[in-house]
């Protein structure tokens, strides 16, 4: 959650603790195991989104919960349970809403019947925010993610794949989109700005 938002202010009012920061995104990490967290997300954030006309939820950076555990296995298990309970609660409260996860691989066996798909970034091509450069993902990294793609597909869920390529490199963009399609994914080749720019397979 961003500390400068109204949502953050409401979380503070409900006394939900901030336990850390996701430095990559400059956001605060709320304690997902706190008793008030689940109802805050479902009844406050999600319900307001539906009221505004959104038809579902994209649960981004689910891996951030692991940052809260800091190597504590018991805390990690509690965080995972909290996320599973959240997804179950969203499905129960909003049965017609679409729910798409960003990764969350460790949750899939427990929530596969409650979600509508999984998004996976940077399977073959990525962007390094530290260096400001685009580059290929290592062969080991791609192989690891390909295995995750097959796992998601084995559960009957679609995989939405987002890779990052320079807008001027149409050859690489099209090649990457074709490779992702061959893997059985729905490809979206874009820029790290994530502003909706589509480079391939359409432009």
């Amino acid at each position: 959650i961003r500390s400068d938002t109204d949502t953050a202010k409401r979380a503070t009012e409900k006394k939900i603790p901030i336990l850390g920061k996701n430095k990559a995104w400059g956001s605060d990490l709320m304690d997902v195991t706190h008793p008030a967290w689940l109802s805050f997300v479902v009844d406050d954030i999600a319900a307001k989104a539906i009221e505004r006309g959104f038809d579902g939820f994209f649960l981004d950076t689910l891996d951030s919960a692991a940052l809260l555990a800091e190597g504590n296995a018991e805390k990690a298990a509690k965080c995972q349970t909290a996320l599973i309970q959240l997804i179950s609660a969203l499905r129960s409260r909003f049965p017609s809403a679409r729910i798409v996860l960003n990764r969350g691989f460790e949750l899939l066996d427990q929530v596969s019947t409650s979600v509508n798909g999984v998004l996976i970034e940077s399977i073959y091509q990525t962007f390094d925010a530290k260096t400001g450069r685009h580059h290929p993902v290592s062969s080991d990294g791609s192989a690891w993610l390909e295995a995750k793609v097959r796992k998601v597909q084995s559960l009957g869920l679609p995989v939405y794949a987002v890779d990052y390529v320079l807008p001027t490199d149409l050859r690489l963009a099209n090649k990457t989109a074709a490779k992702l399609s061959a893997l059985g994914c729905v490809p979206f080749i874009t820029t790290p700005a994530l502003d909706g720019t589509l480079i391939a397979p359409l432009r």
Side-chain angles (χ1 to χ4, degrees):
I1 189 171
R2 300 279 305 198
S3 59
D4 56 352
T5 62
D6 288 338
T7 303
K9 293 176 183 176
R10 294 197 300 273
T12 299
E13 292 170 359
K14 293 180 182 293
K15 296 181 170 52
I16 303 174
I18 300 298
L19 299 185
K21 183 175 286 290
N22 185 329
K23 295 180 180 179
W25 294 103
S27 55
D28 293 331
L29 300 173
M30 286 192 293
D31 183 1
V32 300
T33 66
H34 189 273
W37 180 79
L38 180 62
S39 62
F40 172 65
V41 176
V42 175
D43 301 327
D44 191 318
I45 300 175
K48 282 181 171 57
I50 293 296
E51 288 172 5
R52 290 176 61 190
F54 291 95
D55 62 1
F57 311 106
F58 177 62
L59 305 186
D60 198 13
T61 60
L62 285 183
D63 297 341
S64 291
L67 298 176
L68 298 173
E70 296 182 343
N72 184 321
E74 182 179 357
K75 182 70 172 179
K78 288 181 178 179
C79 289
Q80 184 170 326
T81 297
L83 293 176
I84 293 169
Q85 290 173 338
L86 169 64
I87 294 166
S88 176
L90 289 173
R91 175 52 66 223
S92 177
R93 174 78 179 274
F94 311 102
S96 62
R98 293 183 60 80
I99 301 174
V100 175
L101 311 182
N102 185 350
R103 296 199 175 202
F105 301 131
E106 70 282 358
L107 310 175
L108 285 176
D109 285 332
Q110 294 94 329
V111 304
S112 62
T113 58
S114 297
V115 302
N116 301 97
V118 176
L119 182 141
I120 302 177
E121 296 174 86
S122 301
I123 296 177
Y124 298 120
Q125 299 292 326
T126 191
F127 175 80
D128 188 333
K130 292 181 179 179
T131 64
R133 294 187 177 187
H134 295 77
H135 65 84
V137 176
S138 69
S139 56
D140 286 346
S142 291
W144 186 81
L145 286 173
E146 287 171 343
K148 297 301 182 183
V149 168
R150 289 189 284 271
K151 168 65 175 179
V152 175
Q153 293 168 336
S154 74
L155 295 170
L157 296 170
V159 175
Y160 304 98
V162 177
D163 271 25
Y164 303 100
V165 174
L166 277 171
T168 54
D169 197 343
L170 295 184
R171 179 178 172 278
L172 179 59
N174 288 321
K175 180 181 178 181
T176 304
K179 198 170 181 180
L180 291 168
S181 292
L183 188 59
C185 302
V186 179
F188 189 90
I189 311 303
T190 187
T191 69
L194 292 173
D195 58 3
T197 299
L198 178 57
I199 305 171
L202 302 174
R203 186 171 175 80

